[in-house]
Amino acid sequence: MSGTSRRTLRCGELRAQHVGQRVRLGGWVHRRRDLGGIVFIDLRDRAGLVQVAVGPGAPDEVRRVAAGLASETVIDVEGDVTARPANMKNPELATGDVEVQATRLTMLGTAVTPPIPVARGKGEELPAEELRLKYRHLDLRRPEMQGNLMLRHRLLQRARKTLADLEFLEIETPILTKPTPEGARDYLVPSRVHPGEFYALPQSPQIYKQLLMVAGFDRYFQIARCFRDEDLRNDRQPEFTQVDLEASFVGVEDVIGYVEQVLVALWDEAGHAVARPFPRLTWRDATERYGTDKPDVRFDFPIADWTAQVKPLGVPFFQPALKDGARVRGLAVKGGGALSRKDVDQLAEAAKQLGAAGLAWVKRQGEQVSGSVGKHFTPEVLGALGVGDGDAALMTVGPDRVTSPVLDRVRQEIIHRLAPAPQTAHAFCWVVDFPLFEPDAETGRPVFAHHPFTAPHPDDVARLDSDPFACRALHYDAVYNGNELGSGSIRITDAAVQRRVFAHLGMTPAEAEARFGFLLSALQAGAPPHGGFAIGFDRVVMALAGAESMRDVIAFPKTTAARALFEGAPAPANPADLAALHIEVKR
RNA sequence: GGGGCUGUAGCUCAGCUGGUUAGAGUGCCGGUCUGUCACACCGGAGGUCGCGGGUUCGAGCCCCGUCAGCCCCGCCA
């Protein structure tokens, strides 16, 4: 299959079975070892490395070319595949049992000395990320990056096949869409033919896929590129890929079932067996036990409410907050005695940065109790909290909105520092029963926690106006080892309910009509019950590739300042082009 | 928008309390070498210490500003 008119097969595909054959190879000079009388060339392509030998018996022309080959030159080699003598095999190389004795050798593409190395020694540091992005064509040649992108390809194919087998139809939706006032900032595209008007790049195909359900396509999916003009993170790029799906005549169970099948297939593609169904926990339990809506449930190490046990101890650090009705919450750390004073100080510093008053700690060594609030605790009290010999307790006090993120962070840091054995390698879970509203950061007024098309929980619809914060949404998140892999919901299909929701967002009926009239009129045209999900595909690849950064699973990613260093985007526009778009730039 | 870390040879880094001519490994160039696989050995070239300003007799090192990359908070319906 890999053969062409200019090669027999790929370099990395050679095996003992090819011994005796004459082959023609094309590839990049990975490394060259010139021993004088004999030259070895490691020739590389996407399949791997093979050693080409140019010995004293090779034609003079071949020896002359081999002696002058620079790294990363593209060459065309013809030669005989020979078995290596036993003591000259290289077990670290898939092709290490054989080598190619070159009989013909030509340079196809000369290469200047690469500014960053492609071939890297064991333990050698990677070049600065800035340089890796600037010389992306070289960075992408590295076997690690080739492996990441080849895995990404296989996962994409597997997602497609899995959904197609489940009778989902792959349908494309527009990239030039309508700006939306809510949610993330839009990337805007000016219209040439309509002065002063703009398209937006989609933040997700949300409304389109709902329209496809109204149109009767029943099950839709798309490998969708999405765009959000927000500040970036290690796992957030301004353009990213979702495995987006939507289905009709479904409930929460159906959608969760489809998504589990896709995720299990993707993990299988990467060689990991994962059991279904995934465990579920409610949003309330997740935030109570883990302090976050994306808990890492690989570790059975929950946050506990210790208010009842700690309040009677009269610890000065806790008293003022306890008077205001706050709770003391903490973590019983098995083996926490191993945490150094420096560890604890750093944890406390991190806690303060997240708004905690501080982080109180106690260590128990037999009958000895020490720590910042140690003198208030006895072994008996600690035992009741689950803190045994050699363990530690870390705790803080305050409103849940502060203690939850603080203890989430502390819990993650402790897992990182003490590196306990996980109970499972691949811990999926569903977080369900999210609240429909959350308080606005400034006004405290209820605002939608998700997008405004999410259906309220049927048991809570009656409380929509009277007690909005108590209303749950038919919204669910897929979480893997503490990472949110995606979210979805059952949608509102009643136009009247959808109008009420828009009114909740502070939109007048006229505004709702102007912004979402096309959705409202669709819902009145006979809308089936429907719901869906979007899997953050880049995060899936990150997890399965073991990549530290999303940039390592995207061929041409942006920097944290949303720049493309390779091609140099964004860039100032030509004044004539701006004029044609009716745009004047103020600086 | 805010905070932190980093920026010294092509690359990865060291550079003490501010003090003479800024170092190492690797890559590159030249040489020796017939079994290496990060080949080995000998020799050599290579520096706007990110950029701008300031303090000082003197700045890679201290101060201010700025740019870039990375990490985090805000943000991401």
Side-chain angles (χ1 to χ4, degrees):
Chain A
M1 277 295 276
S2 59
T4 70
S5 62
R6 302 187 62 145
R7 73 171 179 213
T8 314
L9 76 177
R10 292 201 183 89
C11 305
E13 294 168 346
L14 279 169
R15 295 291 183 274
Q17 68 182 83
H18 300 105
V19 168
Q21 292 182 19
R22 168 151 297 198
V23 295
R24 186 177 173 193
L25 304 172
W28 286 259
V29 174
H30 189 69
R31 243 193 282 267
R32 196 173 61 98
R33 291 174 294 281
D34 188 341
L35 276 62
I38 186 167
V39 177
F40 296 102
I41 301 159
D42 286 340
L43 194 61
R44 184 194 70 237
D45 61 21
R46 80 179 211 197
L49 292 179
V50 72
Q51 175 165 280
V52 176
V54 179
D60 287 351
E61 173 65 7
V62 170
R63 300 186 60 191
R64 193 187 62 75
V65 174
L69 280 178
S71 291
E72 297 307 313
T73 304
V74 177
I75 59 174
D76 181 350
V77 181
E78 199 171 281
D80 300 311
V81 182
T82 58
R84 296 203 208 176
N87 59 336
M88 293 169 200
K89 288 183 178 178
N90 185 345
E92 289 180 23
L93 225 50
T95 62
D97 288 347
V98 300
E99 65 188 1
V100 175
Q101 305 290 340
T103 53
R104 206 173 54 77
L105 173 58
T106 50
M107 277 197 247
L108 296 180
T110 58
V112 296
T113 301
I116 58 171
V118 176
R120 209 157 42 102
K122 287 168 188 143
E124 194 178 314
E125 293 290 328
L126 280 173
E129 183 111 26
E130 188 176 355
L131 296 170
R132 292 179 52 204
L133 293 170
K134 185 170 176 185
Y135 304 105
R136 196 60 167 171
H137 57 295
L138 294 175
D139 194 50
L140 289 174
R141 284 182 188 172
R142 293 188 300 111
E144 294 92 330
M145 291 299 285
Q146 298 242 321
N148 287 354
L149 292 181
M150 288 190 285
L151 173 65
R152 186 177 177 120
H153 159 81
R154 288 189 7 238
L155 295 170
L156 271 177
Q157 304 315 309
R158 187 70 181 268
R160 274 211 165 84
K161 174 152 179 27
T162 304
L163 284 164
D165 288 350
L166 289 167
E167 301 181 340
F168 281 76
L169 302 171
E170 183 167 9
I171 301 174
E172 292 149 286
T173 56
I175 292 295
L176 295 176
T177 76
K178 187 179 179 182
T180 52
E182 296 81 22
R185 230 170 267 118
D186 285 321
Y187 279 100
L188 293 178
V189 179
S191 165
R192 175 182 54 83
V193 289
H194 302 290
E197 297 184 22
F198 295 83
Y199 302 95
L201 305 182
Q203 296 177 26
S204 82
Q206 181 61 35
I207 293 178
Y208 294 106
K209 66 178 179 178
Q210 292 192 236
L211 295 179
L212 289 169
M213 292 305 102
V214 173
F217 286 101
D218 192 274
R219 287 178 204 171
Y220 139 96
F221 87 96
Q222 183 176 197
I223 311 296
R225 198 63 74 81
C226 305
F227 306 85
R228 291 180 192 171
D229 187 5
E230 294 293 345
D231 288 341
L232 307 180
R233 291 287 187 279
N234 156 51
D235 62 349
R236 258 162 45 187
Q237 282 277 305
E239 56 180 307
F240 57 100
T241 303
Q242 289 186 341
V243 178
D244 190 45
L245 61 94
E246 192 82 7
S248 293
F249 303 105
V250 295
V252 173
E253 297 304 320
D254 301 290
V255 178
I256 280 181
Y258 298 138
V259 174
E260 282 190 4
Q261 288 183 70
V262 174
L263 291 173
V264 167
L266 294 180
W267 259 252
D268 174 68
E269 186 66 36
H272 307 300
V274 175
R276 284 187 62 200
F278 302 166
R280 294 188 200 179
L281 62 172
T282 62
W283 177 84
R284 187 169 294 281
D285 284 346
T287 49
E288 179 63 26
R289 292 169 60 80
Y290 302 101
T292 173
D293 58 7
K294 43 178 184 173
D296 189 344
V297 295
R298 279 177 298 178
F299 305 94
D300 178 29
F301 172 36
I303 297 165
D305 180 350
W306 290 340
T307 313
Q309 294 90 332
V310 168
K311 200 169 184 175
L313 303 179
V315 182
F317 173 65
F318 296 131
Q319 290 315 305
L322 283 170
K323 267 187 213 130
D324 297 337
R327 298 195 292 160
V328 175
R329 298 166 77 200
L331 290 158
V333 183
K334 284 267 170 294
L339 290 168
S340 68
R341 182 60 199 256
K342 192 178 163 195
D343 285 324
V344 174
D345 286 347
Q346 287 174 351
L347 290 172
E349 185 53 38
K352 280 180 191 163
Q353 275 176 12
L354 291 174
L359 189 68
W361 60 281
V362 178
K363 277 185 186 176
R364 179 177 174 191
Q365 198 81 46
E367 294 303 301
Q368 295 280 88
V369 175
S370 61
S372 68
V373 291
K375 65 180 177 185
H376 302 281
F377 284 79
T378 61
E380 290 69 35
V381 171
L382 288 173
L385 301 179
V387 180
D389 188 10
D391 297 348
L394 297 164
M395 60 207 113
T396 190
V397 66
D400 291 357
R401 71 182 147 73
V402 174
T403 56
S404 283
V406 163
L407 291 170
D408 168 35
R409 173 68 173 276
V410 169
R411 180 174 177 272
Q412 289 184 50
E413 271 297 315
I414 286 169
I415 288 169
H416 180 70
R417 282 163 199 251
L418 294 180
Q423 305 199 301
T424 49
H426 308 284
F428 283 94
C429 65
W430 289 103
V431 178
V432 300
D433 290 348
F434 275 76
L436 188 59
F437 298 94
E438 61 190 14
D440 183 89
E442 274 134 41
T443 64
R445 286 186 44 214
V447 294
F448 271 79
H450 321 286
H451 58 60
F453 318 116
T454 301
H457 196 292
D459 297 348
D460 298 340
V461 174
R463 291 187 284 182
L464 215 51
D465 299 303
S466 59
D467 191 4
F469 289 126
C471 289
R472 291 164 296 169
L474 292 182
H475 176 103
Y476 30 86
D477 273 9
V479 175
Y480 169 74
N481 291 358
N483 298 300
E484 183 196 321
L485 289 189
S487 63
S489 64
I490 301 299
R491 324 299 182 186
I492 296 168
T493 40
D494 181 331
V497 174
Q498 187 66 71
R499 284 201 173 87
R500 267 175 80 195
V501 162
F502 287 144
H504 258 287
L505 281 173
M507 273 187 242
T508 66
E511 282 169 341
E513 203 59 42
R515 290 175 187 174
F516 298 109
F518 58 117
L519 176 67
L520 289 168
S521 64
L523 293 181
Q524 293 172 118
H530 62 276
F533 200 85
I535 300 171
F537 183 69
D538 309 272
R539 288 185 186 170
V540 167
V541 185
M542 253 179 99
L544 291 174
E548 302 261 315
S549 161
M550 190 172 277
R551 293 179 297 274
D552 286 350
V553 296
I554 295 176
F556 301 102
K558 305 286 189 283
T559 68
T560 42
R563 282 192 180 280
L565 298 183
F566 185 79
E567 68 271 40
N574 183 332
D577 293 341
L578 288 175
L581 294 168
H582 326 285
I583 287 180
E584 199 178 324
V585 176
K586 283 189 183 171
R587 340 192 16 139

